[in-house]
């Protein structure tokens, strides 16, 4: 079974600064997908960014980028030019790329609470 | 272009009562997933359904919990004889058919409180 670990329960960052959230995972598979989801106080789960394990290039979405280190099984999220609206819980998640039982489940970490300070 | 809809947003039940949570997937989506989020935890997979079929219920508690996704109407997550430990946020996600499982879109969740 896959596991996802987020070792930083809480973090804070000054507005306009850059912050990096850590995520590590454990799997024996070679092909899979990794995600970062944002959960603001409204509790709506919002997909921030997605990475396919077979792609070497790190994914980017505007101010959000990832550092994907496959050998180290590490998948960190960098938020540049932090904004007050980035205040939220951030969850790292894993999904296998293989078909079969469990292949559509997202496995989530426990989350990191990010506070952006004005 | 409505997103995934869940109702009610908040539900309070006394111990022993039944809770029914509804999820209407996005238009054109035929796959539904239910996840549960306990306080201070990430989301945990419960069940995956397609129209009229339960595909995987490996994350569902063995007793008191059931789910359905009928041909017509929303998907229902039903919890019988609720206990305090069932208090959690329940999220529904939907995706289109054809293996596009990367595109799981989440609803706003239902927060169940058992008193």
């Amino acid at each position: 079974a896959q596991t996802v670990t987020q070792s930083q329960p809480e973090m804070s960052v000054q507005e306009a600064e850059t912050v990096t959230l850590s995520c590590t995972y454990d799997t024996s598979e070679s092909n899979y997908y990794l995600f970062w989801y944002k959960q603001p106080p409204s509790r709506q789960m919002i997909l921030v960014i997605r990475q396919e394990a077979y792609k070497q290039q790190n994914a980017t979405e505007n101010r959000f980028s990832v550092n994907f280190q496959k050998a180290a099984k590490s998948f960190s999220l960098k938020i540049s030019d932090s904004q007050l609206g980035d205040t939220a819980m951030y969850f790292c998640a894993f999904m296998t790329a293989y078909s079969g039982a469990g292949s559509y489940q997202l496995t989530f970490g426990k989350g990191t609470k990010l506070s952006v300070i004005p | 272009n409505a997103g995934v809809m869940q109702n009610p947003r908040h539900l309070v039940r006394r111990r022993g009562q039944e809770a029914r949570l509804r999820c209407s997937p996005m238009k054109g989506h035929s796959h539904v997933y239910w996840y549960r989020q306990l306080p201070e935890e990430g989301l945990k997979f419960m069940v995956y359904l397609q129209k009229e079929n339960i595909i995987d219920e490996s994350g569902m508690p063995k007793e008191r919990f059931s789910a359905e996704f009928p041909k017509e109407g929303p998907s229902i997550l039903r919890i019988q004889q609720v206990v305090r430990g069932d208090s959690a946020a329940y999220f529904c996600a939907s995706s289109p058919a054809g293996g596009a499982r990367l595109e799981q879109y989440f609803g706003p969740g239902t927060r169940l409180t058992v008193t």
Side-chain angles (χ1 to χ4, degrees):
Chain A
Q2 292 81 17
T3 59
V4 177
T5 302
Q6 293 179 250
S7 59
Q8 305 151 314
E10 293 192 39
M11 294 190 71
S12 61
V13 62
Q14 291 290 137
E15 193 174 6
E17 297 294 309
T18 294
V19 64
T20 298
L21 309 183
S22 301
C23 172
T24 57
Y25 57 93
D26 188 25
T27 183
S28 58
E29 298 174 6
S30 59
N31 202 12
Y32 47 86
Y33 305 97
L34 295 163
F35 307 80
W36 278 99
Y37 278 86
K38 168 184 177 181
Q39 187 179 45
S42 67
R43 301 191 67 84
Q44 176 83 49
M45 293 291 287
I46 302 165
L47 177 63
V48 174
I49 200 165
R50 180 179 77 212
Q51 174 80 41
E52 287 86 352
Y54 62 86
K55 290 186 177 178
Q56 292 185 338
Q57 186 172 6
N58 289 324
T60 61
E61 287 287 342
N62 300 314
R63 299 183 294 107
F64 299 88
S65 61
V66 298
N67 183 4
F68 173 48
Q69 301 290 327
K70 191 172 184 179
K73 295 180 182 175
S74 171
F75 183 60
S76 60
L77 175 69
K78 185 171 84 170
I79 305 174
S80 304
D81 185 25
S82 297
Q83 300 175 0
L84 296 178
D86 295 334
T87 293
M89 284 289 289
Y90 286 82
F91 293 96
C92 180
F94 173 101
M95 180 188 285
T96 178
Y98 296 102
S99 59
S103 61
Y104 25 74
Q105 300 177 16
L106 286 164
T107 300
F108 288 87
K110 290 191 174 184
T112 295
K113 184 177 182 180
L114 177 67
S115 298
V116 179
I117 303 166
Chain B
N1 190 13
V4 178
M5 298 177 68
Q6 290 187 248
N7 67 81
R9 293 292 308 274
H10 300 274
L11 181 62
V12 179
R13 285 288 179 265
R14 293 181 178 171
R15 280 178 295 171
Q17 290 185 319
E18 179 179 287
R20 283 188 180 233
L21 288 62
R22 294 174 181 76
C23 168
S24 297
M26 286 182 70
K27 187 176 181 180
H29 287 191
S30 57
H31 296 206
V32 165
Y33 316 81
W34 286 92
Y35 292 83
R36 177 166 66 174
Q37 184 180 30
L38 295 170
E40 311 301 324
E41 297 281 329
L43 279 69
K44 295 276 198 291
F45 169 80
M46 298 181 75
V47 62
Y48 163 42
L49 309 102
Q50 296 176 16
K51 285 282 187 181
E52 299 184 283
N53 283 304
I54 297 175
I55 306 302
D56 180 3
E57 55 184 349
S58 60
M60 289 274 272
K62 298 299 180 190
E63 298 178 349
R64 303 187 297 106
F65 285 72
S66 62
E68 63 177 11
F69 189 17
K71 187 175 180 181
E72 301 291 337
S75 175
I76 307 285
L77 179 67
R78 181 182 178 204
I79 311 172
Q80 295 178 289
Q81 299 175 337
V82 296
V83 301
R84 288 231 172 98
D86 297 332
S87 294
Y90 292 82
F91 288 90
C92 166
S94 72
S95 70
R101 58 202 169 158
L102 298 182
E103 302 174 27
Q104 285 192 28
Y105 296 87
F106 281 83
T110 293
R111 178 168 285 187
L112 172 66
T113 301
V114 179
T115 62

